[in-house]
Each structure stands twice: as C-alpha cells, then as structure tokens.
Amino acid sequence: MKNILIVFLFLILKTNSIMAQDNFKVLTKDEEQAKYNLRDLKFYKMSPYNESLAYFIDDRSLLVLQNFPAAEHSLILSISDFDHNKFPLLPENDTPYYGCKELINRENFTKENMLKILNELNFVYDEETLYMDAEKFNKKLSRNDKIKFFIPMLYFIGENLHKICPNAEWQFYTLNYFHPFCEAGLYYEKRQFSFYDLNLLLEDKLLRDKNLTFRSIYKKIQKKLLKDKELWWDFGNVKGD
C-alpha cells in the first residue's frame, strides 16, 4: 500500500471527484445572507462526509453551508445530491493539497514518495543545492507541473524547518471544505506549528508568479518559527533563556 500509484495521482482527482451535475447553485456569502435567514429555515442535518450544515429551502432543495469559518460560498443542492455527497469542486477547494490528498497522511507523506514525484517531473534532488536548482527548474514548468511541484517543495522546506525542532512530528489537519483534505504541520506534545503561511507563500510563487524565491520563503517561515520559540524552545536544538 505504501507504494501508491503516484503516476496516476494527478489524473484521477478530477475524474474521481464526486460532482453534482446540473442540480446545484453556488452562492456568495452576500447572496446567501441577502436571500436567506437561517432562523427561518428548518435544519436538515450535518453531512458525515464534510460536516457541512443543510437547511430546507423546500421539500426538494437544501441550503448547504460549509462548517468552516473562512468559507466563501454556500450551495443550493438537492436532498439526494447532499445525501450522496455530490458536491461541486469550488475554486477555493481546488488546491494542491486537495490534488495530492492521497499523499497527505502519516503513511504516504514521505521522502520516498516526494522523490518519486520529482523523478516524474525530471527534477534531480540535491539537498545542498535544492533552492537554487528549484528556482531554475520552476521557470520552465507548466501550471499543472507547478501544482505537482508544490507538495515536494512543501515537504523538503518543511523538513529543513523540522531541523529547528527535531523532536516534533508531522501532523495532518483535516479541513472540511465541501471536499475535505488535510494540511500538514509540525506537532510536539500539545504544541502545534501550522504551515499555513508556508502554503500561502508557495501558492504565491508557484501559482500566482509572485516575486519570491524558495530560499526567501524558507527564511520567512524560519523567522516565524524562531520567533515562536516559547512554544518550541525545548525541542532539542533551540534552547530557551
């Protein structure tokens, strides 16, 4: 099971995503709040698939809200589609994490699997020259290949940050968008260091062509990690005063 078929990983996402066909409507938060008052709607249930909350609009349709504070959209779905987990894949849900969701877990988020992806992209990994090599390589990648490149770069930058707090372990946090996926971060006892900022910076560089280098991304997150040393100072390398 460990040797998953990475060669097909990025192709099966779109085809395996369970999508509603035509029987849905996407609402912005403003549209939802202008049209519906939850106090006037009867609650149906919470989805066991993604923890979304459904309210009756009529005897066939539901207003479906993501149970997620930063949610940008809600849906109008048929009861049947809701019960069968037929949710559309919205742009804010269509992330590199979602595209690689089979990898983002304790079993598969490994150096071995990251190197397989890099090999498929024809990138030769060298720990000593990673950031310099990645800069040159990134310039010739298509958008789809940049999405593939995202997760290995997250992993290897994360492993470099891991050296600051060697007793920590990777942990994976489920985000309940309409199609759930996990994000990666570091964890030690009850202490967590989220890589949310690392995710955003990598998206800015790889998907939005912002003027950032991989080395500068590492430095920005390293600075934040060291600033939060009150949470991390007993990890081995970093000592508190």
Side-chain angles (χ1 to χ4, degrees):
M1 292 296 292
K2 186 175 181 180
N3 292 323
I4 60 177
L5 299 176
I6 295 178
V7 67
F8 297 113
L9 178 64
F10 302 96
L11 298 177
I12 63 174
L13 167 64
K14 300 296 184 181
T15 56
N16 283 357
S17 294
I18 302 174
M19 299 287 290
Q21 297 299 313
D22 299 314
N23 194 26
F24 72 89
K25 181 177 180 180
V26 180
L27 302 175
T28 65
K29 276 297 174 186
D30 288 342
E31 290 172 333
E32 170 206 318
Q33 292 170 3
K35 192 167 185 179
Y36 300 103
N37 186 334
L38 294 185
R39 290 177 294 183
D40 298 331
L41 301 179
K42 182 181 178 181
F43 181 67
Y44 177 45
K45 64 181 178 181
M46 175 188 285
S47 166
Y49 170 65
N50 58 22
E51 297 187 357
S52 60
L53 305 174
Y55 297 81
F56 286 103
I57 294 175
D58 53 42
D59 59 357
R60 292 183 300 175
S61 302
L62 302 168
L63 174 65
V64 183
L65 312 180
Q66 296 181 78
N67 193 5
F68 187 75
E72 299 177 24
H73 296 96
S74 55
L75 298 173
I76 296 176
L77 281 181
S78 70
I79 296 173
S80 175
D81 282 349
F82 180 84
D83 286 342
H84 290 88
N85 302 330
K86 293 183 179 179
F87 297 92
L89 183 63
L90 303 182
E92 65 266 28
N93 198 171
D94 192 9
T95 68
Y97 268 116
Y98 178 72
C100 295
K101 62 183 179 179
E102 291 86 353
L103 286 175
I104 312 302
N105 54 64
R106 193 173 300 279
E107 180 184 14
N108 294 321
F109 197 68
T110 64
K111 183 176 181 179
E112 178 186 6
N113 283 334
M114 299 305 124
L115 291 176
K116 286 180 181 178
I117 296 175
L118 294 181
N119 185 59
E120 291 167 14
L121 292 169
N122 295 316
F123 178 81
V124 179
Y125 171 76
D126 184 324
E127 183 178 358
E128 298 299 320
T129 59
L130 172 64
Y131 297 140
M132 181 176 64
D133 295 343
E135 289 299 333
K136 296 177 183 177
F137 186 70
N138 180 56
K139 293 177 182 178
K140 59 184 180 182
L141 291 178
S142 67
R143 178 176 175 81
N144 285 340
D145 283 345
K146 287 182 178 183
I147 292 173
K148 297 177 188 178
F149 199 44
F150 180 100
I151 296 297
M153 288 308 299
L154 171 79
Y155 174 85
F156 287 113
I157 292 174
E159 278 296 289
N160 285 339
L161 294 165
H162 198 174
K163 295 172 184 176
I164 299 172
C165 42
N167 293 332
E169 295 182 356
W170 286 100
Q171 191 176 61
F172 307 95
Y173 313 91
T174 300
L175 297 181
N176 280 307
Y177 284 90
F178 285 129
H179 290 280
F181 60 85
C182 289
E183 282 191 349
L186 291 176
Y187 174 83
Y188 177 67
E189 293 183 349
K190 296 181 179 180
R191 304 164 186 177
Q192 299 176 355
F193 186 85
S194 169
F195 281 166
Y196 178 75
D197 290 337
L198 176 56
N199 302 333
L200 293 182
L201 289 169
L202 284 173
E203 287 182 5
D204 280 345
K205 177 168 181 63
L206 290 169
L207 306 182
R208 302 184 187 97
D209 296 321
K210 295 289 184 68
N211 187 24
L212 295 164
T213 67
F214 290 111
R215 187 175 298 278
S216 71
I217 290 172
Y218 167 78
K219 289 292 186 182
K220 285 176 184 288
I221 305 303
Q222 179 195 46
K223 182 178 180 181
K224 179 176 175 60
L225 185 60
L226 292 173
K227 183 178 179 181
D228 293 343
K229 71 177 184 178
E230 291 180 2
L231 299 178
W232 300 95
W233 61 263
D234 60 349
F235 273 30
N237 291 4
V238 181
K239 297 295 184 182
D241 297 329

